[in-house]
């Protein structure tokens, strides 16, 4: 049995999410998605051409979901956590359920709890006793250590390392190759710049960068 799936956002991140959903077909234990296509309210001409090359239809704006076939699921293919949150709120009004897509080459521990809309790129690794909220995205080769909590709409970008016992609040972005040392907390809607090393708690709503991050 296959489940109809729509990717929201046809930018680079959305098209990467599509490749993850396609890759899941090789793993009989995971849901098999039937890709209906992309929705996007403001696709660029360039991205429309790229979508065409992937041989997946562009369906129209987000409102397309209102009359989607029964049991259609959506996945938000937007990398920026706060834009993803805003779009998720609009999409939720249309009644489709959020799908989680986990690449077969991601390593997700057996006791991991995650909310709907979870996306794990190839090479993402989450070890043990980790709780992930709704619409958390772990990009390529990102790692999350034991006993950590990542709240709703957190993004961990490629090669970033979140150590054990960390708490990332809602809407946090951890930039590419950044590290968060063990036991630390990153506050709501804060951004850790690419390559940063977080060595103390980060308050809400700030951007930190550098080594040590400040
Ligand atoms: C930290 C970050 C959020 C800052 O963005 P911004 O506010 O638009 O910053 P700007 O590009 O205007 O740069 C402001 C200053 O910070 C410096 N800077 C930018 N990013 C930096 C980083 N990651 N580490 C150290 N310094 C950085 C710039 O060189 C510039 O310095 P200057 O004022 O001396 O010229 C952003 O650069 C970043 O690292 N985002 C994460 C990107 C990422 O993970 N991409 C992967 C996508 S998959």
């Amino acid at each position: 049995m296959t489940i109809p799936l729509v990717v929201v956002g046809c930018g680079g991140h959305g098209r990467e999410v599509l490749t993850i959903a396609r890759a899941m077909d090789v793993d009989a234990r995971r849901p098999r998605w039937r890709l209906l296509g992309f929705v996007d309210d403001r696709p660029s001409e360039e991205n429309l051409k790229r979508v065409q090359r992937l041989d997946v239809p562009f369906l129209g704006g987000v409102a397309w979901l209102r009359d989607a076939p029964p049991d259609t699921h959506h996945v938000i293919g937007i990398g920026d956590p706060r834009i993803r949150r805003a779009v998720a709120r609009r999409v939720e009004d249309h009644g489709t359920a959020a799908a989680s897509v986990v690449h077969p080459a991601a390593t997700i521990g057996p006791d991991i709890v995650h909310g709907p809309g979870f996306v794990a790129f190839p090479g993402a690794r989450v070890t043990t006793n980790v709780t992930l909220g709704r619409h958390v995205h772990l990009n390529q080769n990102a790692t999350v250590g034991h006993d950590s909590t990542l709240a709703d709409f957190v993004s961990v970008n490629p090669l970033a390392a979140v150590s054990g016992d960390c708490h990332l609040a809602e809407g946090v972005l951890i930039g590419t190759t950044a590290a968060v040392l063990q036991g630390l907390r990153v506050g709501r809607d804060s951004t850790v710049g690419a390559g940063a090393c977080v060595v103390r708690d980060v308050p809400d709503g700030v951007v930190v960068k550098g080594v040590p991050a400040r």
Side-chain angles (χ1 to χ4, degrees), residues 69-106:
D71 201 32
T72 296
H73 283 54
H74 66 265
V75 58
I76 314 268
I78 295 172
D80 182 295
R82 296 135 221 168
I83 298 175
R84 187 160 72 246
R85 176 171 61 203
V87 170
R89 286 188 181 141
R90 287 176 38 223
V91 168
E92 276 156 20
D93 290 344
H94 299 314
T96 52
S100 290
V101 297
V102 175
H103 195 281

Side-chain angles (χ1 to χ4, degrees), residues 17 20 28 45 77 82 89 115-116 120 126 131 138 159 161 184 214:
V17 167
I20 297 171
E45 283 304 314
R82 296 135 221 168
R89 286 188 181 141
V126 188
T131 303
L138 303 179
L159 284 162
L184 296 178
R214 42 172 76 98

Side-chain angles (χ1 to χ4, degrees), residues 157-158 175-176 191 193-194 207 209:
N157 279 350
T176 298
T191 297
V207 177
K209 55 197 177 196

Side-chain angles (χ1 to χ4, degrees), residues 43-175:
S44 69
E45 283 304 314
E46 186 137 60
N47 283 336
L48 288 174
K49 284 187 199 138
R50 290 167 174 157
V51 161
Q52 214 169 25
R53 287 207 292 273
L54 288 170
D55 213 16
V56 180
F58 175 70
L59 303 166
V62 166
W64 183 92
L65 292 167
R66 206 182 309 138
D67 302 313
D71 201 32
T72 296
H73 283 54
H74 66 265
V75 58
I76 314 268
I78 295 172
D80 182 295
R82 296 135 221 168
I83 298 175
R84 187 160 72 246
R85 176 171 61 203
V87 170
R89 286 188 181 141
R90 287 176 38 223
V91 168
E92 276 156 20
D93 290 344
H94 299 314
T96 52
S100 290
V101 297
V102 175
H103 195 281
T107 310
I108 309 295
D111 58 346
I112 305 309
V113 177
H114 66 79
F118 173 48
V119 176
F121 281 63
R125 289 172 188 267
V126 188
T127 60
T128 181
N129 188 36
V130 171
T131 303
L132 307 167
R134 296 179 304 127
H135 300 284
V136 167
H137 286 204
L138 303 179
N139 215 306
Q140 302 182 71
N141 299 317
T143 61
V144 181
H146 61 88
D147 308 311
S148 288
T149 305
L150 279 57
D152 298 347
F153 302 106
V154 166
S155 284
V156 185
N157 279 350
L159 284 162
V162 177
S163 306
D165 269 320
C166 287
H167 178 80
L168 310 184
E170 179 176 319
V172 162
L173 171 69
I174 307 294

